[in-house]
Amino acid sequence: MAEVQVQAEVAPVAAASSPPPQQQQVVNGVASNNGVSVTTSLYVGDLDLSVTESHLYDLFSPLGTVVSLRVCKDSRTRRSLGYGYVNYSNTHEAARALEVLNFTLLNGKPIRVMYSNRDPTVRRTGAGNIFIKNLDKTIDNKALHDTFSTFGYILSCKIATDNTGQSKGYGFVQFDNEESAKNAIDKLNGMLLNEKQVFVGPFLRKQERESSIGKAKFNNVYVKNLSESTTDEDLKNVFSEHGPITSAVIMRDVDGKSKGFGFVNFENPDDAARSVDSLNGKKFDDKEWFVGKAQKKSEREMELKGQYEQTLKETADKFAGLNLYVKNLDDSINDDKLRELFSEFGTVTSCKVMLDPNGISRGSGFVAFSTAEEASQALMEMNGKMVVSKPLYVAVAQRKEERRARLQEQFSQMRPGAMGPTVGPQVPMYPPGAPHFGQQLFYGQGPPAMISPQPGFGYQQQLVPGMMPNFFMPMLQPGQQNQRQGSRRSAGGPMQQTHQPLPFMQPQVEGFSFYNCN
C-alpha cells in the first residue's frame, strides 16, 4: 500500500478506529455507536468481476456467522456489478469484519467494506462527504483512509480509477458527521500529500456543480447571428442599456466583412448576466441573437462533449431491450424492405440499413420496436431465417463498451487454457437428410460432408457470437503431435486402414439441422 506523507502539522481530531463495542445501543435491530448507525449488514464494493458468493463466504465466514450474502448481478447479462452484501448474525461480528477485511485483496483486487445504509436520504444529502483532487497516482484507498481517519470516523473512502485500475487523481471520503468533514477540509486543503498540493472541499452533486458553473460570474458576453449591417456602435448602444461596458467589437475577416458574431465586455458581472437574460433570443434586423457567456475553446468543447455523451446515454436507455442489430443482409435489402420484414412482429419505431460513403449497404442495420416483447419475438423468429440468399443474424443491439466486454469474455473462454480435456477421439458428423425451412439455420457452417475418423485430423468448428455451438470437434490427443496415423493406399489396390475405424457420434440437439451457406 502507498504511504502518504502529509507535509503539514495536523493534530488528530477524533479516533479513526471503529467505535468501541461496549458503547453500542441496539434499537429495532440497528445499533448506534457514538452516533454512528451500525447494522449487521455490510456493503462490499470494488469487487473483481470474477468474485462469486463462495469467494465472499470463504473470506467473511471466519469472522462470524454469515446469515446471508450475495454478489449483485446485471439482470440481463448476469454479470457481476462489482459489489455485494454480507449479513452477519450480530453487530459485533459485522464491526469486526469491517475492521479486519476492509482493503483486503480478493482475487488480486482490494475490496472496500462499509456498513450498508438503507436510508436513501443520508446518501442524497451528502452530509460529511468531501472531495479530494490532485492526488498522487500512488495513493490508494487505504492510504487515503489512513490520512483522513485522524479527523473522525469514516463511513466510506474511495479513489476513482479508470478501466485498468489506475488512479484518476481524485477521490471521496465520507465522515459520519459534518464537523469531522469541515475539520479535514480546514486542515488539509492546500497541503502537500506525496509532494503534491491537493484540493480538499465539500462534495457537490452533478446538478450542484452544473448550477454553480452556470452561476459563475463573468464580464465578457458572446453575441452571434448578427446582421451584416450591425456595427460596433450598434452593439454598444444595445448592451449599454444594461450597464456600463468597457468594449464592444464585431469580429471581421481580412476584407472587413462581419463574421456575424462579436463580444461585449461589462464593468460589472451582474450587468453582464442581466444582459444575457434580457437579450438572448431577441430579434434585431430580422435576426434572432444568441447571447451568452463568452467561453474558451476548451470550455466549449467540454460542454459539447458532455451534451453529446448525455444524448447517447439517453438514447441507449430509451431503446434498451427494444433495439435489434441485424447483419448478413443481402445487398438488395433497403430500409423499406427491412421494415417490411420485421413489421409482422409489432410496431417498428425506427429502421435503418447502414450504408458506406458510396451509398452501398454494409450488410447490417438496426430495427427498434415499441415494446421489449415485440423485439424478443422478432429476435426468436428472425435469427437464422433465410432472406433472399442469406440467413440473418439478429441480436439485441449493444453499446460499444458492452459489446467489447462481451467479446473479451468470449475470447477468454475460447483460449486453449480455458478448454477442458477432450473425452476421446470421437468425430461427429452431420445428420443425414436435407434440411427443411422449419429448422434453425447456422451461418458459417461448412457443407455437409463426412469427416474421416482419423486421429490427428481434427476439425475446428467456427463459433459465431450469439449462436449456440451445435457440436464440438476433438483436438489432438497427447502423443499424436508427431504421428501421422491414417489411411494409406497400397500399389494398385484399394485404400487400407492401419487401425480400427472409430464410431461416429450423432449430435444430440433436437430441432437443429445444418445448411450449406457457401
Side-chain angles (χ1 to χ4, degrees):
M1 296 294 183
E3 295 183 357
V4 180
Q5 300 174 354
V6 182
Q7 300 182 12
E9 186 176 351
V10 179
V13 177
S17 60
S18 300
Q22 63 269 20
Q23 297 184 16
Q24 286 189 353
Q25 295 179 350
V26 180
V27 179
N28 296 329
V30 180
S32 177
N33 274 327
N34 299 334
V36 180
S37 295
V38 181
T39 71
T40 59
S41 180
L42 297 178
Y43 167 87
V44 187
D46 296 345
L47 294 177
D48 186 80
L49 297 183
S50 63
V51 172
T52 62
E53 280 87 355
S54 59
H55 292 137
L56 285 185
Y57 183 82
D58 293 340
L59 182 64
F60 283 84
S61 59
L63 297 174
T65 304
V66 176
V67 178
S68 64
L69 58 82
R70 69 185 176 102
V71 173
C72 297
K73 299 178 181 179
D74 185 274
S75 59
R76 184 169 59 86
T77 63
R78 305 307 300 165
R79 297 184 65 219
S80 170
L81 295 175
Y83 68 91
Y85 297 91
V86 178
N87 297 312
Y88 282 95
S89 60
N90 60 70
T91 57
H92 298 284
E93 295 173 346
R96 182 164 175 260
L98 186 151
E99 186 174 0
V100 173
L101 297 179
N102 199 14
F103 309 120
T104 299
L105 287 176
L106 182 57
N107 287 11
K109 188 176 179 181
I111 63 175
R112 184 167 54 96
V113 185
M114 58 182 286
Y115 286 113
S116 175
N117 192 341
R118 302 187 184 279
D119 184 4
T121 58
V122 176
R123 297 193 299 269
R124 290 169 184 168
T125 57
N129 204 357
I130 62 176
F131 170 71
I132 308 101
K133 69 177 180 179
N134 200 34
L135 289 170
D136 188 81
K137 296 298 180 69
T138 61
I139 297 177
D140 55 15
N141 290 333
K142 188 176 187 308
L144 191 67
H145 184 280
D146 294 343
T147 302
F148 283 85
S149 61
T150 57
F151 298 96
Y153 182 71
I154 294 177
L155 298 177
S156 175
C157 176
K158 181 175 177 62
I159 294 284
T161 57
D162 58 20
N163 295 332
T164 63
Q166 295 296 318
S167 169
K168 291 184 177 180
Y170 65 90
F172 309 89
V173 175
Q174 185 168 13
F175 290 94
D176 63 322
N177 61 74
E178 287 282 1
E179 184 179 356
S180 298
K182 187 175 181 180
N183 288 331
I185 293 173
D186 294 340
K187 297 293 184 181
L188 289 182
N189 185 32
M191 295 295 104
L192 296 179
L193 300 183
N194 282 13
E195 300 181 354
K196 292 189 72 173
Q197 187 176 18
V198 298
F199 167 83
V200 183
F203 168 75
L204 298 176
R205 294 191 300 271
K206 184 178 180 179
Q207 298 86 344
E208 296 173 335
R209 293 198 303 271
E210 291 176 348
S211 62
S212 64
I213 293 174
K215 294 179 181 178
K217 293 184 178 297
F218 59 93
N219 294 75
N220 204 10
V221 175
Y222 168 71
V223 192
K224 73 173 182 178
N225 204 27
L226 298 174
S227 171
E228 292 185 4
S229 61
T230 303
T231 63
D232 296 352
E233 194 64 31
D234 295 333
L235 214 57
K236 286 182 182 180
N237 294 335
V238 172
F239 280 88
S240 60
E241 296 178 1
H242 301 279
I245 61 176
T246 58
S247 64
V249 60
I250 294 176
M251 307 307 294
R252 302 181 183 276
D253 58 20
V254 292
D255 298 326
K257 185 178 179 180
S258 171
K259 291 184 178 181
F261 68 92
F263 298 91
V264 179
N265 195 60
F266 284 85
E267 293 182 357
N268 192 322
D270 295 334
D271 296 336
R274 192 161 47 249
S275 70
V276 170
D277 295 336
S278 176
L279 297 176
N280 185 36
K282 281 197 172 183
K283 284 190 176 181
F284 295 88
D285 296 333
D286 295 330
K287 290 266 192 174
E288 186 176 305
W289 283 8
F290 169 84
V291 183
K293 173 190 172 185
Q295 294 176 307
K296 297 179 181 178
K297 182 179 179 180
S298 58
E299 293 176 336
R300 290 198 307 275
E301 290 176 347
M302 186 177 297
E303 182 178 344
L304 292 174
K305 181 181 178 182
Q307 293 175 354
Y308 176 71
E309 292 177 349
Q310 182 65 22
T311 302
L312 285 181
K313 185 177 183 303
E314 290 175 354
T315 303
D317 293 342
K318 178 181 178 181
F319 290 101
L322 309 177
N323 200 11
L324 297 181
Y325 169 67
V326 187
K327 72 175 181 179
N328 205 32
L329 293 171
D330 189 82
D331 292 343
S332 63
I333 302 296
N334 55 22
D335 294 351
D336 294 335
K337 291 184 179 180
L338 188 63
R339 181 183 292 272
E340 183 180 348
L341 285 172
F342 283 85
S343 59
E344 62 177 292
F345 303 103
T347 304
V348 177
T349 58
S350 67
C351 182
K352 181 67 177 176
V353 173
M354 307 308 294
L355 306 176
D356 63 13
N358 297 323
I360 301 175
S361 170
R362 295 181 182 269
S364 62
F366 297 90
V367 180
F369 286 88
S370 59
T371 66
E373 291 76 12
E374 296 172 348
S376 178
Q377 183 67 22
L379 189 152
M380 293 171 55
E381 296 288 341
M382 297 297 290
N383 186 31
K385 182 177 180 180
M386 291 292 296
V387 176
V388 186
S389 61
K390 294 183 177 182
L392 296 184
Y393 169 76
V394 184
V396 176
Q398 295 177 310
R399 298 181 65 185
K400 184 178 180 180
E401 296 80 6
E402 297 175 349
R403 191 168 64 252
R404 182 178 298 169
R406 181 183 172 213
L407 290 175
Q408 287 177 348
E409 182 179 358
Q410 288 180 344
F411 291 153
S412 65
Q413 294 175 356
M414 292 169 60
R415 288 198 304 266
M419 297 181 63
T422 55
V423 177
Q426 295 175 325
V427 183
M429 60 174 285
Y430 291 99
H436 53 83
F437 288 102
Q439 295 175 318
Q440 179 73 31
L441 304 176
F442 288 90
Y443 179 67
Q445 300 284 352
M450 296 291 291
I451 301 176
S452 176
Q454 302 176 18
F457 293 88
Y459 171 78
Q460 182 64 46
Q461 179 194 11
Q462 293 183 354
L463 297 180
V464 181
M467 293 187 180
M468 182 179 68
N470 49 359
F471 62 89
F472 291 91
M473 303 300 298
M475 306 301 289
L476 287 174
Q477 299 301 308
Q480 293 180 349
Q481 288 80 355
N482 298 323
Q483 300 178 13
R484 182 180 176 115
Q485 299 180 1
S487 61
R488 59 187 179 187
R489 190 181 302 273
S490 61
M495 182 181 297
Q496 301 290 329
Q497 289 191 342
T498 61
H499 63 283
Q500 294 293 331
L502 297 172
F504 293 106
M505 181 177 67
Q506 293 287 352
Q508 300 299 317
V509 182
E510 296 183 0
F512 292 89
S513 66
F514 307 89
Y515 192 82
N516 181 10
C517 299
N518 294 335

